[in-house]
Amino acid sequence: MPEITRRGLTGLAFGGDYNPEQWPEAVWEEDVRLMREAGVTLVSVGIFSWALLEPAPGAHDFGWLDRSLDLLHDAGIRVDLGTPTVVPPAWFYRAHPDALPVTAEGVRLAFGSRGAICHSNPAYRAAAADITTRLAERYGDHPALAMWHVHNEYGVPVSACYCDTCAAHFRRWLERTYGGVDAVNEAWGTAFWGQRYASLDEIDPPRATPTVGNPAQALDYRRFADATMRENFTAERDILHRLSPGVPVTTNFMTALSQCDSVDYWAWGREVDLVTNDHYLITDGRRTHVNLAMAADLTRSVAGGAPWLLLEHSTSGVNWQPRNPAKAPGQMARNSLAHVARGSDGAMFFQWRQSRRGAEKFHSAMLPHGGTETRVFREVTELGAAVQSLASVRGTRTEADAAVLWDWQSWWAQNLDWRPSQDHDARERADAFYEALYDHHLTVDFARPEGDLSRYPLVVVPALYLMTEAAGDSLRRYAEGGGTLVVSYFSGIVDEHDAVHEGPYPGALRDVLGLTVEEFSPLLEGERVRLTGPGGAELQADVWTEFVVPHGAETVWTYADGPAAGRPAVTRHRLGEGTAWYVSTRLGTDGLATVLARAAEDAGISPRDDLPHDVEVVRRSGDSGRFLFAINHSGADAKVPLETPGTELLTGERAAGRLAVPAGAVRVVRLDG
């Protein structure tokens, strides 16, 4: 990944979205003065400014942006310059109303929000290329420029359009992908319900139908929509590479499973020069810091383990959830530094100055409506100093203990209609398994199903309904080579076209797991089952049971009651030098923790269960040294053992033996040696 140090950013990035166009120019100098006071080093500019940069077709006004960038440069603040292609102007839609997206029900969405784009529309593509070209020609060598920021949060709020332009584009995509209609019929299984096509011209997007449509078609349309957005990103990226060589190009991801489900980030991670991410706490009753850690680990994994950049999060409450509590004192710093611990080379926010107008005027900002005499601004300036003290962390990599397999396309397939139980949720299983690993104080990488897993002693598969034969072969090699695998139910069921693998369940995994599944038997709402295991220990489960038949696997826990009473519930299979575990029901976090502790023993991992609950310890290492982050999310003071002494970077104090981490605090130790 290209470095951005050549453009002047040498430490960790600190700052946020800056929208000077919302304010009189008289405010700009105060903004820059306060940015310097707060320790801001990088701001994102111009993301929503197309209507101001091009107020009429072909008429451009760059003066205000010139003055803003020059002012920032004079203050030593670097710029992440946006292409404003997420918000075409009103005049554009008046001239090209067909560029507004159409829903599967045939409703054309209206102008007046953001992201209302048909990504197949040729007029939009041409206009986006034009404004990007003009920005690159004008600012490609501006001394404030650190990086380019294309569009904004692709896939949110609209990813797929179902208009006639998209229908024609979809047919061309099918031609490139399959080569012809016969291959499409085979892949989609159109012999079922008489859906066979004689020509690609007969194929439309999966619009609203009387009952459930073809699931393979729906899955391919999600792939097509994602690929179409990515085509538009790469078109802008290539213009910027050509006209502004050597400057990294990114777009802000939303990798958290709680925030975006329409983008295959494995594919997108290969296209950006620097992986960046936006993350917002979801106040749904879950432990928000666990969701944060999971999103950061997932983002780092999309970046191939390389450092990435947190481009947006919030200083306090947001405004778009049903209930939006303020962050507690110190929580902003904990959130920010938890992202840094897990690989971010900075902490950025939306936004610098809180807006007085518009849809997000109650969304918190670095400079709140209340001004500088507020808790939020005081914490922002304290955090700016803390981030500056961690400059030596920049460029190091987070060390992981285990891997979780995740695949967005499998998630798309599992979420299609008419599955065995609406209560089985891939995201819920991923969250639950991750939380169990988190509570064992294990740092997690996420991995592609077909990737090289050999460096991980433990690999967990929480929900992989769609699995190719190649992925099954990869997991077989992993286990045979000495790895420990833990697989949850309803995994390995279908191939890339949503066709059930030939033979008994679980298809691509039955030989790896040493078992077959005769039948799924999901539970009714509110039903629970008991499992009995070693020493008579019991576990509780719900949602799902199966009739498991071992073929080499040993039974570790058995269903004590329910539809599958007396049959295996959790199994363990020795395969080559390794072990494959199977969990055929939905265990809660405590039950998963019990199973994962047994699997960790097989893997030779010692979970750090001596660490206090909700105190996370994460390590980064590289040429500049080894760093231990200790983040105390609990309400009690904690002690964290240090394997070697070092210097605590936030206080400057020496640390040895057991590191004191006050309640709600963060400590970062640069270890000696």
Side-chain angles (χ1 to χ4, degrees):
M1 300 264 177
E3 293 282 353
I4 54 178
T5 51
R6 66 178 298 276
R7 303 297 303 194
L9 192 66
T10 55
L12 297 181
F14 183 68
D17 282 37
Y18 180 42
N19 299 289
E21 65 271 26
Q22 296 181 15
W23 301 92
E25 289 197 31
V27 176
W28 296 3
E29 289 193 7
E30 180 188 32
D31 280 333
V32 169
R33 177 179 62 79
L34 292 175
M35 285 179 192
R36 289 175 61 88
E37 180 180 323
V40 168
T41 59
L42 179 69
V43 292
S44 300
V45 177
I47 296 168
F48 301 105
S49 61
W50 195 343
L52 294 177
L53 295 170
E54 191 175 7
H60 296 88
D61 178 9
F62 295 108
W64 68 271
L65 186 55
D66 290 345
R67 295 189 294 278
S68 178
L69 296 189
D70 290 346
L71 187 63
L72 291 164
H73 172 63
D74 290 343
I77 298 168
R78 317 307 300 172
V79 171
D80 165 37
L81 185 56
T83 68
T85 51
V86 69
V87 282
W91 60 256
F92 172 81
Y93 287 118
R94 180 175 290 272
H96 305 284
D98 57 340
L100 288 163
V102 175
T103 68
E105 293 73 28
V107 176
R108 189 175 294 278
L109 302 178
F111 172 77
S113 178
R114 71 178 198 188
I117 296 165
C118 167
H119 282 275
S120 295
N121 185 269
Y124 168 75
R125 290 183 166 205
D130 180 73
I131 191 65
T132 299
T133 298
R134 292 178 184 274
L135 285 166
E137 288 175 340
R138 191 173 189 92
Y139 301 110
D141 60 356
H142 193 285
L145 182 65
M147 53 195 277
W148 287 101
H149 181 308
V150 170
H151 203 268
N152 182 74
E153 295 177 349
Y154 279 97
V156 179
V158 177
S159 59
C161 171
Y162 297 82
C163 71
D164 288 341
T165 301
C166 287
H169 191 186
F170 182 45
R171 295 175 197 124
R172 294 192 297 272
W173 183 86
L174 291 171
E175 178 73 32
R176 291 194 305 270
T177 302
Y178 290 102
V181 71
D182 290 342
V184 173
N185 282 316
E186 176 65 23
W188 290 2
T190 56
F192 186 80
W193 279 2
Q195 297 169 345
R196 187 170 183 82
Y197 298 101
S199 166
L200 291 177
D201 292 337
E202 297 175 354
I203 298 176
D204 284 325
R207 295 166 175 151
T209 51
T211 184
V212 174
N214 187 311
Q217 179 187 17
L219 177 58
D220 263 350
Y221 203 75
R222 297 203 69 163
R223 291 169 172 145
F224 158 75
D226 178 58
T228 302
M229 291 189 295
R230 200 160 59 249
E231 285 175 11
N232 287 352
F233 166 76
T234 57
E236 293 188 44
R237 179 204 64 194
D238 292 349
I239 291 169
L240 297 169
H241 279 170
R242 176 169 55 85
L243 297 176
S244 184
V247 180
V249 180
T250 192
T251 185
N252 44 339
F253 294 166
M254 297 191 76
T255 63
L257 306 185
S258 54
Q259 291 176 243
C260 182
D261 66 354
S262 59
V263 175
D264 181 355
Y265 285 115
W266 291 129
W268 283 76
R270 296 190 291 268
E271 301 295 346
V272 296
D273 297 327
L274 172 72
V275 167
T276 62
N277 195 54
D278 298 350
H279 182 267
Y280 293 96
L281 301 182
I282 303 299
T283 54
D284 60 359
R286 309 187 195 202
R287 297 157 71 199
T288 56
H289 56 279
V290 180
N291 175 274
L292 185 157
M294 182 177 177
D297 284 346
L298 189 49
T299 307
R300 181 185 70 252
S301 302
V302 167
W308 54 280
L309 180 59
L310 175 67
L311 209 53
E312 288 184 28
H313 72 312
S314 66
T315 57
S316 191
V318 297
N319 72 316
W320 39 263
Q321 299 182 83
R323 298 163 189 83
N324 299 285
K327 290 187 177 180
Q331 188 178 3
M332 179 204 311
R334 288 198 306 279
N335 290 167
S336 301
L337 297 181
H339 282 291
V340 173
R342 295 177 185 272
S344 177
D345 270 357
M348 306 276 286
F349 296 92
F350 181 86
Q351 58 181 322
W352 163 251
R353 183 183 283 269
Q354 194 168 15
S355 299
R356 290 186 56 224
R357 298 175 175 84
E360 295 188 281
K361 56 182 170 288
F362 297 116
H363 188 297
S364 61
M366 300 175 78
L367 182 60
H369 292 309
T372 58
E373 299 301 317
T374 56
R375 173 183 67 87
V376 166
F377 189 74
R378 287 192 294 272
E379 290 193 17
V380 164
T381 59
E382 292 169 2
L383 178 59
V387 168
Q388 185 176 9
S389 72
L390 300 180
S392 57
V393 172
R394 186 182 185 279
T396 59
R397 294 188 172 221
T398 301
E399 301 174 1
D401 303 299
V404 170
L405 259 59
W406 179 256
D407 183 65
W408 278 274
Q409 295 192 26
S410 176
W411 192 20
W412 300 343
Q414 186 177 312
N415 283 346
L416 296 172
D417 292 322
W418 287 13
R419 299 309 188 224
S421 173
Q422 68 176 13
D423 297 325
H424 173 45
D425 179 357
R427 178 202 156 188
E428 184 279 331
R429 282 294 80 190
D431 286 347
F433 272 88
Y434 182 90
E435 187 171 0
L437 292 165
Y438 180 97
D439 284 343
H440 279 311
H441 300 281
L442 299 176
T443 303
V444 169
D445 279 347
F446 286 80
R448 300 179 187 87
E450 298 177 11
D452 179 13
L453 305 171
S454 58
R455 67 183 179 277
Y456 301 108
L458 176 66
V459 170
V460 173
V461 184
L464 206 58
Y465 161 76
L466 184 155
M467 182 180 289
T468 64
E469 292 287 353
D473 291 342
S474 175
L475 292 182
R476 170 189 279 277
R477 289 192 300 272
Y478 168 75
E480 288 178 337
T484 299
L485 183 67
V486 180
V487 177
S488 185
Y489 63 90
F490 207 47
S491 293
I493 305 302
V494 300
D495 67 11
E496 60 269 33
H497 303 299
D498 198 45
V500 173
H501 285 287
E502 188 173 351
Y505 307 131
L509 287 172
R510 57 178 173 256
D511 294 336
V512 178
L513 298 173
L515 55 81
T516 58
V517 174
E518 288 186 348
E519 194 173 4
F520 308 131
S521 187
L523 300 176
L524 299 179
E525 185 176 7
E527 280 191 298
R528 299 185 64 82
V529 294
R530 292 180 302 111
L531 281 58
T532 57
E538 285 197 356
L539 302 177
Q540 296 282 327
D542 63 2
V543 170
W544 192 277
T545 63
E546 294 178 344
F547 298 114
V548 174
V549 180
H551 297 284
E554 62 177 291
T555 300
V556 184
W557 272 272
T558 302
Y559 288 109
D561 53 22
R567 288 176 175 260
V570 178
T571 63
R572 177 178 180 269
H573 183 219
R574 293 292 301 176
L575 185 65
E577 300 298 317
T579 307
W581 289 75
Y582 185 58
V583 182
S584 70
T585 186
R586 193 177 84 160
L587 297 173
T589 302
D590 290 343
L592 287 178
T594 300
V595 174
L596 288 172
R598 293 285 303 273
E601 291 178 11
D602 283 348
I605 294 175
S606 298
R608 305 182 186 103
D609 294 335
D610 59 329
L611 291 172
H613 187 66
D614 280 336
V615 177
E616 61 182 279
V617 176
V618 184
R619 291 167 175 78
R620 289 183 63 163
S621 61
D623 292 343
S624 58
R626 295 189 70 228
F627 302 86
L628 181 144
F629 287 73
I631 304 169
N632 189 350
H633 298 284
S634 78
D637 295 347
K639 297 279 191 179
V640 171
L642 294 176
E643 63 267 32
T644 58
T647 300
E648 204 289 306
L649 297 179
L650 301 179
T651 63
E653 298 175 354
R654 290 291 294 171
R658 296 181 67 81
L659 173 69
V661 187
V666 180
R667 293 292 181 262
V668 184
V669 178
R670 181 173 183 170
L671 301 171
D672 293 344

